[in-house]
């Protein structure tokens, strides 16, 4: 039952999973007898804390910090930290819940967790970001560890923030250990981690298209977001001969018919930490639509003629109206780089219309999978080559796709990868929970 409006996204994620696993529960009464659902929806532990920090003028600010340790049946809690003003306990809970199944799908020994803060990194100086990260880690360090809980990045948390947090952890604990992933390549990071979520989503799209008798080359692609996931999805799309023609940030979107200038987007977002609107300073033939001018009930980024859509920004950014527009414009497939970017009505529409649909918890699992590869490298004090990690990532994405597809077929809905992903992920976690007793 939905009892708290502050947890809408969490309920949305739970309802999707519960609906999909119904046929499995009918077939195997043990999951109900063992109260697996009741146990799964209750986090093992939820931590909320105060994060006080000083800005450059000496003014003191206070933000809220969160870490949710949702389920450790398959391994240490693993999941990113999100720094964004929209973060609240409900958002972290939804992300932590999704993470359980995503991590299970990778086939690697990682449990589900998530965390973050309502801190807004936009417009902050490097020194302010550092002081915030140090304060955040001063509390978080009590709860994490390489065998307990290993956070990574997410929205607003990249290599720079991971660096500041790692530095503070090391200083407080006097231990140099793999307690965070997404670290710099100079000190414990893994090759291909930065690229992994975006590349992984495109590898997933390759599998999906191949089942539809199609290829990526020459495909026009709509991408949303211009952060870590979007940038490396676009990079891999170009490498495979496809053409991304849109991208966006929280202020607006760019449409560039001749193809997005990826070097420029990297410079604007990764180096200058600036607004996407400045893209027009270099390319006056591109179109920019400000967020205020998006259509009602939708996002302009999904309103162009294209073959494939890659939502790579945030939750519920692709509405039912957007889904209809995509179908009318001939879209063959939607592959989610972000977590839960399609509203439930949009996702149902894709499945009904037989538009190829790769849900986030399967299609974007390449990031967390590569984070686990970073943990493995840290534990063995090795660093593998880019090609070696990328090969493993490709294999993992192929296996995730085929597990989801096979499970969907087994349950009589071959085109429903949402059902396939949810059942395949749930079974791994639920069986481990049963074997570990009532805990
Ligand atoms: P980044 O912070 O690097 O980029 C996020 C992008 O989305 C930015 O372009 C940002 O715009 C935009 N954005 C963020 N919030 C909103 C909003 N409320 N409305 C519109 N646009 C928004 O994050 P990531 O690329 O890492 O994450 C993107 C998505 O992918 C998230 O859903 C995340 O949970 C998911 N994900 C990330 C993984 C990873 O490895 N990084 C792994 C798996 C999933 P602006 O620049 O204006 O803030």
């Amino acid at each position: 039952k939905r009892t708290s409006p502050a947890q809408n996204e969490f309920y949305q994620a739970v309802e999707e999973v519960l609906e999909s696993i119904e046929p499995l529960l009918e077939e195997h009464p043990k999951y109900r007898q063992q109260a697996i659902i009741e146990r799964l929806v209750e986090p093992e532990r939820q931590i909320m804390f105060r994060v006080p920090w000083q800005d450059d003028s000496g003014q003191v600010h206070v933000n809220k910090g969160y870490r949710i340790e949702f389920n450790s049946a398959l391994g240490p809690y693993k999941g990113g930290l999100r720094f964004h003003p929209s973060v609240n306990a409900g958002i972290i809970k939804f992300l932590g819940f999704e993470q359980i199944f995503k991590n299970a799908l990778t086939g690697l020994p990682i449990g589900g967790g998530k965390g973050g803060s309502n801190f807004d990194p936009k417009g902050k100086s490097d020194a302010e970001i550092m002081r915030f990260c140090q304060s955040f880690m001063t509390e978080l360090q009590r709860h994490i560890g390489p065998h307990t809980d290993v956070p990574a990045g997410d929205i607003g948390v990249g290599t720079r923030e991971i660096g500041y947090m790692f530095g503070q952890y090391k200083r407080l604990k006097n231990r140099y250990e793999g307690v965070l992933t997404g670290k710099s390549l100079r000190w414990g990071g893994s090759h291909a981690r930065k690229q992994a979520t975006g590349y992984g989503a495109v590898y997933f799209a390759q599998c999906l298209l191949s089942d539809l008798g199609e290829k990526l080359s020459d495909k026009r692609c709509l991408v949303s977001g211009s952060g870590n996931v979007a940038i490396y999805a676009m990079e891999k799309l170009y490498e495979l001969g496809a053409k991304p023609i849109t991208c966006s940030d929280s202020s607006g979107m760019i449409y560039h018919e001749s193809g997005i200038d990826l070097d420029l987007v990297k410079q604007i977002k990764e180096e200058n930490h600036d607004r996407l609107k400045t893209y027009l300073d270099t390319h006056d033939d591109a179109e920019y639509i400000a967020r205020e001018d998006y259509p009602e009930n939708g996002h302009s980024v999904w309103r162009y003629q294209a073959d494939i859509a890659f939502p790579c920004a945030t939750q519920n950014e692709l509405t039912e109206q957007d889904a209809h527009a995509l179908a009318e414009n001939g879209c063959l497939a939607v592959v989610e780089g972000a977590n839960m970017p399609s509203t439930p009505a949009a996702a149902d529409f894709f499945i009904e219309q037989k538009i190829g649909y790769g849900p986030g918890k399967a299609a974007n699992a390449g990031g967390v999978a590569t984070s686990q590869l970073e943990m493995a490298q840290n534990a063995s004090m090795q660093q593998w080559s880019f090609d070696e990690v990328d090969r493993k990532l490709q294999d993992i994405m192929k296996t995730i796709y085929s597990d989801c597809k096979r499970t969907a077929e087994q349950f009589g809905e071959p085109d429903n990868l949402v059902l396939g992903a949810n059942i395949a992920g749930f079974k791994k976690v639920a069986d481990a929970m049963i074997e570990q007793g009532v805990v």
Side-chain angles (χ1 to χ4, degrees):
K1 271 207 195 119
R2 290 185 173 227
T3 49
S4 155
Q7 300 195 35
N8 277 341
E9 288 84 0
F10 173 62
Y11 295 135
Q12 182 184 331
V14 171
E15 280 166 9
E16 184 208 278
V17 170
L18 294 190
E19 208 174 290
S20 311
I21 61 172
E22 194 54 37
L24 179 78
L25 301 184
E26 288 300 309
E27 223 172 76
H28 299 280
K30 66 176 176 183
Y31 297 122
R32 284 211 172 96
Q33 283 154 11
Q34 298 272 345
I36 291 295
I37 308 295
E38 290 81 349
R39 285 197 265 159
L40 253 179
V41 298
E42 201 56 59
E44 289 175 16
R45 195 172 298 110
Q46 252 172 307
I47 301 142
M48 285 190 219
F49 51 95
R50 176 173 74 192
V51 191
W53 58 280
Q54 258 180 324
D55 68 19
D56 289 343
S57 71
Q59 174 74 41
V60 177
H61 301 264
V62 180
N63 285 97
K64 290 178 190 298
Y66 304 91
R67 185 71 187 165
I68 192 160
E69 298 182 334
F70 222 122
N71 191 295
S72 61
L74 294 176
Y77 310 104
K78 182 96 199 83
L81 297 171
R82 176 177 292 190
F83 291 170
H84 193 272
S86 65
V87 164
N88 57 44
I91 297 279
I92 296 298
K93 199 169 176 188
F94 123 65
L95 290 165
F97 184 75
E98 288 282 286
Q99 198 80 42
I100 305 171
F101 305 97
K102 178 191 310 197
N103 293 6
L105 284 173
T106 66
L108 301 168
I110 36 181
K114 199 82 192 188
S117 172
N118 61 353
F119 172 73
D120 187 359
K122 280 196 196 77
K124 305 290 188 301
S125 70
D126 253 8
E128 288 170 335
I129 298 276
M130 182 180 76
R131 286 196 293 275
F132 176 81
C133 289
Q134 289 177 338
S135 179
F136 186 83
M137 183 52 84
T138 301
E139 174 60 30
L140 188 68
Q141 53 90 19
R142 296 175 212 285
H143 311 286
I144 62 176
H147 301 289
T148 312
D149 183 355
V150 186
D154 190 80
I155 292 178
V157 178
T159 317
R160 173 180 60 167
E161 291 75 18
I162 293 287
Y164 294 146
M165 287 190 273
F166 184 81
Q168 182 73 351
Y169 177 89
K170 187 161 56 70
R171 184 186 190 193
L172 293 170
K173 294 274 205 189
N174 196 23
R175 290 179 73 90
Y176 202 110
E177 55 193 7
V179 70
L180 292 164
T181 58
K183 300 187 289 299
S184 159
L185 282 174
R186 296 190 185 90
W187 44 269
S190 172
H191 284 291
R193 173 60 190 93
K194 184 171 71 170
Q195 294 82 356
T197 309
Y199 279 22
V202 175
Y203 295 145
F204 191 94
Q206 273 187 306
C207 300
L208 184 59
L209 286 184
S210 148
D211 269 352
L212 299 173
E214 295 276 353
K215 281 205 163 96
L216 263 176
S217 52
D218 300 325
K219 294 287 185 288
R220 288 162 61 89
C221 301
L222 304 178
V223 177
S224 67
S226 51
N228 175 257
V229 180
I231 285 177
Y232 293 96
M234 289 195 274
E235 183 169 282
K236 187 49 78 176
L237 286 172
Y238 274 126
E239 262 179 57
L240 296 174
K243 186 166 79 169
I245 52 173
T246 63
C247 62
S248 66
D249 66 12
S250 49
S251 314
M253 63 144 295
I254 292 285
Y255 166 71
H256 201 172
E257 175 57 33
S258 57
I260 293 292
D261 178 345
L262 189 55
D263 288 338
L264 180 60
V265 174
K266 283 186 182 178
Q267 192 193 324
I268 295 171
K269 287 291 168 185
E270 293 186 330
E271 288 167 38
N272 305 348
H273 301 286
D274 206 346
R275 305 281 74 207
L276 202 51
K277 191 168 192 240
T278 59
Y279 188 97
L280 294 184
D281 300 345
T282 311
H283 294 289
D284 57 9
D285 59 329
E287 183 184 357
Y288 178 78
I289 303 181
R291 197 186 173 91
E292 311 79 86
D293 300 326
Y294 285 1
E296 218 179 296
N297 295 325
H299 292 72
S300 297
V301 73
W302 311 123
R303 306 299 172 101
Y304 295 88
Q305 191 276 315
D307 305 299
I308 314 170
F310 289 90
C312 295
T314 193
Q315 62 272 2
N316 293 326
E317 56 160 324
L318 196 163
T319 65
E320 188 178 8
Q321 288 79 2
D322 293 328
H324 284 266
L326 284 171
E328 280 157 26
N329 281 321
C331 179
L332 298 167
V334 177
V335 177
E336 297 183 339
N339 283 311
M340 210 170 74
S342 303
T343 63
D348 290 346
F349 177 79
F350 295 140
I351 294 167
E352 277 158 29
Q353 298 296 311
K354 300 208 178 312
I355 291 175
Y357 177 50
K361 67 166 73 78
N364 72 32
V368 74
T370 308
S371 272
Q372 198 281 343
L373 301 179
E374 183 172 329
M375 288 162 71
Q377 292 168 77
N378 291 162
S380 60
M381 297 188 136
Q382 288 178 3
Q383 191 178 50
W384 305 335
S385 69
F386 188 97
D387 287 347
E388 189 173 353
V389 180
D390 189 37
R391 261 197 312 278
K392 288 185 201 290
L393 170 64
Q394 291 184 47
D395 287 346
I396 291 168
M397 295 315 298
K398 280 185 198 150
T399 307
I400 293 175
Y401 178 80
S402 56
D403 277 359
C404 295
K405 182 74 182 167
R406 196 180 48 247
T407 309
E409 282 166 357
Q410 259 171 21
F411 284 85
E413 294 196 40
D415 301 318
N416 189 344
L417 295 179
V418 174
L419 177 135
N422 285 330
I423 293 186
F426 172 85
K427 232 180 139 311
K428 287 182 204 212
V429 182
D431 290 341
M433 287 171 74
I434 290 174
E435 285 174 9
Q436 290 171 20
V438 181
V439 286

